[in-house]
């Protein structure tokens, strides 16, 4: 009989499990050649005699090809759909969602206005702040009531935590109208900065997520090319987001 023990039957933490078996959480991390339609901003010179500032801008699409793992787009969508889901919830007041991507560093920022995450202690993990739990504790979520109508993308309580685990840096900043909360994680959730909670002078809320995916672990050779690919998903989300949101 083979020996049984910790060497042959290790017990993984949630983060270790996510990193070692990503296909269960975010899909394949094996780079694959992918064809897609790239949205391109084209700017042409102003007509003769017209104000030079009156240049013409149009958007078009063109076929493109890249090599990225399917998991990369899932990491982005876990964060982006948090913002669109918030916009779909009644009474949240979301009117603006902004996404910025740095082609040099691969840093991604997703920001939305409206009601931020409540800056308070978690009702069960009473020593932890609610935003900390939301973004770092697996199986935490607000979509476990199967009797409620669900229109958003969230379901299992893994999404944003997986993005955090697969990022070299991940930070959350949110304001609920009374306080501003900020915290940063690094190195695949291995390090967490102390949470910062300050009084918020303005009575408006927002949430801002900034992260740098672990491109090396994902096998991404060209960050700029990967960012161009991810930008197409911003366009894909537009038709399924509340038309009142810009």
């Amino acid at each position: 009989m083979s020996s049984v023990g910790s060497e042959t039957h290790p017990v993984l933490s949630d983060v270790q499990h996510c990193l070692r078996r990503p296909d269960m959480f975010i899909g394949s991390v094996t780079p694959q050649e992918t064809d897609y339609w790239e949205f391109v901003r084209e700017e042409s010179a102003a007509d003769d005699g017209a104000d030079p500032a009156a240049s013409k801008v149009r958007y078009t699409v063109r076929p493109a090809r890249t090599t990225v793992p399917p998991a990369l787009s899932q990491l982005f969508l876990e964060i982006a759909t948090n913002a669109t889901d918030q916009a779909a919830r009644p009474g949240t007041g979301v009117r603006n969602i902004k996404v910025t991507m740095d082609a040099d560093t691969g840093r991604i920022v997703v920001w939305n206005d409206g009601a931020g995450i409540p800056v308070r202690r978690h009702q069960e993990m009473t020593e932890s702040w609610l935003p900390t739990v939301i973004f770092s504790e697996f199986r935490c979520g607000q979509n476990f009531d199967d009797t409620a109508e669900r229109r958003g993308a969230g379901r299992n309580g893994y999404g944003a935590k997986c993005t955090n685990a697969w990022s070299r840096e991940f930070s959350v900043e949110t304001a609920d109208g009374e306080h501003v909360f900020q915290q940063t994680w690094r190195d695949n959730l291995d390090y967490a900065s102390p949470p910062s909670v300050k009084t918020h002078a303005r009575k408006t809320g927002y949430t801002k997520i900034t992260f740098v995916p672990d491109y090396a672990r994902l096998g991404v050779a060209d960050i700029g090319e990967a960012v161009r690919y991810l930008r197409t998903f911003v366009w894909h989300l537009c038709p399924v987001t509340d038309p009142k949101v810009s």
Side-chain angles (χ1 to χ4, degrees), residues 42-240:
E42 295 181 344
E43 187 170 345
S44 59
D47 296 334
D48 291 342
D51 184 345
S55 59
K56 298 179 181 179
V57 175
R58 70 169 186 168
Y59 291 90
T60 186
V61 294
R62 65 186 180 194
R65 177 175 294 176
T66 189
T67 301
V68 292
L72 178 62
S73 59
Q74 188 62 34
L75 294 177
F76 167 68
L77 288 171
E78 294 292 1
I79 303 302
T81 56
N82 279 353
T84 58
D85 285 358
Q86 182 72 344
R89 295 186 180 100
T92 59
V94 176
R95 288 296 176 265
N96 298 279
I97 297 175
K98 299 178 183 178
V99 178
T100 59
M101 299 181 181
D102 190 314
D104 294 324
T105 65
R107 185 178 301 275
I108 300 169
V109 181
V110 179
W111 176 96
N112 66 266
D113 60 2
I117 299 169
V119 182
R120 59 170 174 79
R121 301 287 183 175
H122 189 269
Q123 66 272 21
E124 297 174 13
M125 303 176 66
T126 55
E127 295 185 0
S128 299
W129 292 95
L130 178 59
T132 300
V133 176
I134 288 174
F135 291 102
S136 65
E137 293 292 338
F138 285 65
R139 300 182 302 280
C140 165
Q142 61 182 130
N143 296 308
F144 293 127
D145 183 359
D146 291 334
T147 64
E149 182 181 5
R150 183 182 299 112
R151 297 181 179 178
R155 175 176 171 82
N156 298 309
Y158 287 110
K161 278 74 76 173
C162 293
T163 301
N164 197 347
W166 277 87
S167 292
R168 299 302 298 170
E169 181 180 322
F170 184 104
S171 68
V172 55
E173 181 180 325
T174 189
D176 63 2
E178 297 183 1
H179 299 91
V180 179
F181 176 95
Q182 198 280 329
Q183 189 170 19
T184 298
W185 294 263
R186 292 189 178 89
D187 300 330
N188 313 101
L189 261 172
D190 190 52
Y191 165 83
S193 71
S196 170
V197 178
K198 298 180 180 179
T199 301
H200 189 36
R202 296 185 296 176
K203 297 302 180 182
T204 55
Y206 67 89
T207 298
K208 175 183 176 183
I209 305 298
T210 305
F211 65 103
V212 181
D214 193 341
Y215 293 103
R217 187 185 287 264
L218 289 162
V220 174
D222 188 327
I223 292 177
E225 189 174 287
V227 167
R228 286 195 298 273
Y229 170 67
L230 288 177
R231 283 176 179 153
T232 64
F233 289 91
V234 179
W235 292 90
H236 294 169
L237 287 170
C238 290
V240 296

